[in-house]
Amino acid sequence: MKLGKVEFCHFLQLIALFLCFSGMSQAELSRSGSKPYFQSGRSRTKRSWVWNQFFVLEEYMGSDPLYVGKLHSDVDKGDGSIKYILSGEGASSIFIIDENTGDIHATKRLDREEQAYYTLRAQALDRLTNKPVEPESEFVIKIQDINDNEPKFLDGPYTAGVPEMSPVGTSVVQVTATDADDPTYGNSARVVYSILQGQPYFSVEPKTGVIKTALPNMDREAKDQYLLVIQAKDMVGQNGGLSGTTSVTVTLTDVNDNPPRFPRRSYQYNVPESLPVASVVARIKAADADIGANAEMEYKIVDGDGLGIFKISVDKDTQEGIITIQKDLDFEAKTSYTLRIEAANKDADPRFLSLGPFSDTTTVKIIVEDVDEPPVFSSPLYPMEVSEATQVGNIIGTVAAHDPDSSNSPVRYSIDRNTDLERYFNIDANSGVITTAKSLDRETNAVHNITVLAMESQNPSQVGRGYVAITILDINDNAPEFAMDYETTVCENAQPGQVIQKISAVDKDEPSNGHQFYFSLTTDATNNHNFSLKDNKDNTASILTRRNGFRRQEQSVYYLPIFIVDSGSPSLSSTNTLTIRVCDCDADGIAQTCNAEAYVLPAGLSTGALIAILACVLTLLVLILLIVTMRRRKKEPLIFDEERDIRENIVRYDDEGGGEEDTEAFDMAALRNLNVIRDTKTRRDVTPEIQFLSRPTFKSIPDNVIFREFIWERLKEADVDPCAPPYDSLQTYAFEGNGSVAESLSSLDSISSNSDQNYDYLSDWGPRFKRLADMYGTGQESLYS
């Protein structure tokens, strides 16, 4: 019986498993030479370990250690003289060895998916000398796989899309499951796919995991999304295999498989005739079950009686057809319009043209409603012309407006005065005739733009507006004049025939053939010997000198009258005076100075010298002012300090009028009476001549008058007193009052002890003056009494 390749491999695996479990799988040691192996110092043929590979099942869950295999050396005689040692991956922790027998066991559960094999090293030692009796050699323990891992979809869950109406077998997406088991051993990692949910719309290929459509003509508009559940099962799908699942969300994408359709066969809209141009009349929309670009529309008017009145466009956001008006509607002209409108998809899919035309039509009827409209002018603009010489009240033109409604109401006219603030024009309210109301001046305003209002007689709120442009025609009513204010100079050393100025003229008028000016000197100036005029025949003229030797000291300014005539009909003229100044010029003929006053100064006295003289005079004045100021400051010590200033202090004496018991202060009202008229004071900073004034005789008059005269007299004496301080100070006097036998006292001459005045007469004034007589008298009796 012949075995296949697969069956032979399975047979070998079964034998290996049998040997492992029966303990027959062990390593045999053999010698490679006939010469014995000697310990150190002895020569012996080297031996080598000879193995079969060890296998151990993963996921062993028994209570006893799992037997792996047995190591043995032919040197071992079974007397216990040989000791076996295991080292390498997992030695002592996972794998242990009986040092006497060489049996190897696994002490822990092994997982092939974590580590598929372990590499270890074996050593046979002499137990007494601990010397190796065999060379160290490596061996491998391979973990044998069992089906302990289910397939997993590492990229799930999946989402995919497929166009609607796709044919059967259209690929949607491929899913892939992975199995951690050993793919080289058995069927533990051999996966097959199946669909658990999603039939009959989709299918999956068992080996590849490719999902495909299973039904034709799946319509997105009916259902646009499907949820599939895909299973992957190992062991080639046989019983006992492990499985895993994932979900796949399949969305049907839109295709243009639905034509647009109007929900109604006809529409009707009412619009007023006053609706402005470009206004929206109606919005219509064709329904399309598709979405996105497949639902984009195009609308057009294919028939009807309003092809030039209306137009239709598409709203990009809503895909509506927007109907607007392009011309004014007029109920009196036409009351309704009927339009046939077509809607079609922009991009049709050729695969679905067999389903029918991808367009639809509908009828739109637009009814025009009558409204009361304002009067309408026969022309949007009325151009008119009038001469500026026209008389007030002359007719300029006529405007006309009518009521467009069927009632044809009469119209009344008026001018919008906001456009004719100066009220230059009037209009007849009934006929629309425009006339002049004021004299017109083209030079002030060449064009008048006015607005004419037309109102219905029956409904004044309905106002129409017409526009009139009135152009003022020019007449020759302005004389020519100099184009500018000329500043003309002539050099003292000018030669005869030299051009000193070129002049031109301007005219506010604007003749149709342009300006033409003629220049000449007036009759009085024709025969002058100083200047002449040459008309250049190009609206300019040149002023020339007729002699040389102009001198500023003789005449610094010349006035030349020039006669200018324009070419108007009738022509106008004017006389303009040209002022010519004589100047001192340099070698290039450039004026340096034109000041004629310099010649009246003394010979040899230049402007710089005059400035120097003025500076000296100013300096002297400043010095004099400083000297006067310093002299006044030197006298300042005579002034009392602020703290000692007694000008406002009243020194109180006992006077005769009140008696010695009177303790009241002296009344200052008379001193501060502003009604007192004073004489002009003499300057106190200049010593006046000494004048001796006789004491006045007091009459029997009121006390306040006597007191005022008394103070006045004392003030005059102080003004002429050379010893008085150079400022106004308050002088205090003892005043007897009216009826005293003694005159008032003055202390001006008694302040000095060296005074030569005789005060002996004080003893004759009575007992009240006894003490003063004793103090100032010269007699011997007064000194010792």
Side-chain angles (χ1 to χ4, degrees), residues 337-408:
Y337 298 88
T338 302
L339 306 176
R340 188 163 172 264
I341 297 176
E342 180 186 76
N345 285 139
K346 290 181 64 175
D347 300 315
D349 194 331
R351 296 177 299 169
F352 307 105
L353 293 179
S354 59
L355 300 178
F358 277 75
S359 64
D360 194 17
T361 60
T362 189
T363 301
V364 177
K365 186 174 183 179
I366 299 174
I367 298 176
V368 181
E369 296 178 342
D370 187 27
V371 296
D372 190 5
E373 300 175 272
V376 177
F377 283 88
S378 59
S379 174
L381 178 64
Y382 293 88
M384 299 180 183
E385 292 182 348
V386 62
S387 173
E388 63 178 327
T390 189
Q391 299 297 319
V392 174
N394 284 359
I395 296 176
I396 301 175
T398 304
V399 297
H402 69 281
D403 183 7
D405 299 319
S406 57
S407 60
N408 196 17

Side-chain angles (χ1 to χ4, degrees), residues 51 54 71 83-99 102-105 119-125 136-139 141:
W51 314 98
F54 290 136
L71 297 180
K83 180 176 64 174
Y84 298 96
I85 296 176
L86 190 65
S87 63
E89 292 181 320
S92 300
S93 59
I94 298 177
F95 302 102
I96 58 176
I97 189 171
D98 188 329
E99 63 179 14
D103 292 332
I104 301 174
H105 291 79
T119 302
L120 295 96
R121 292 182 296 277
Q123 185 85 54
L125 303 178
E136 185 182 56
S137 181
E138 289 184 350
F139 65 96
I141 298 177

Side-chain angles (χ1 to χ4, degrees), residues 260-295:
R261 291 290 180 265
F262 283 105
R264 297 168 56 183
R265 292 294 90 192
S266 65
Y267 298 85
Q268 179 174 311
Y269 298 93
N270 294 354
V271 297
E273 63 174 333
S274 60
L275 201 65
V277 173
S279 298
V280 176
V281 174
R283 286 175 174 264
I284 59 175
K285 183 178 182 180
D288 192 330
D290 297 323
I291 60 174
N294 297 319

Side-chain angles (χ1 to χ4, degrees), residues 616-634:
C616 292
V617 172
L618 182 61
T619 303
L620 290 175
L621 291 176
V622 173
L623 290 175
I624 292 173
L625 181 61
L626 290 174
I627 292 172
V628 173
T629 304
M630 294 301 294
R631 291 187 64 186
R632 289 178 63 88
R633 288 186 177 180
K634 289 180 180 179

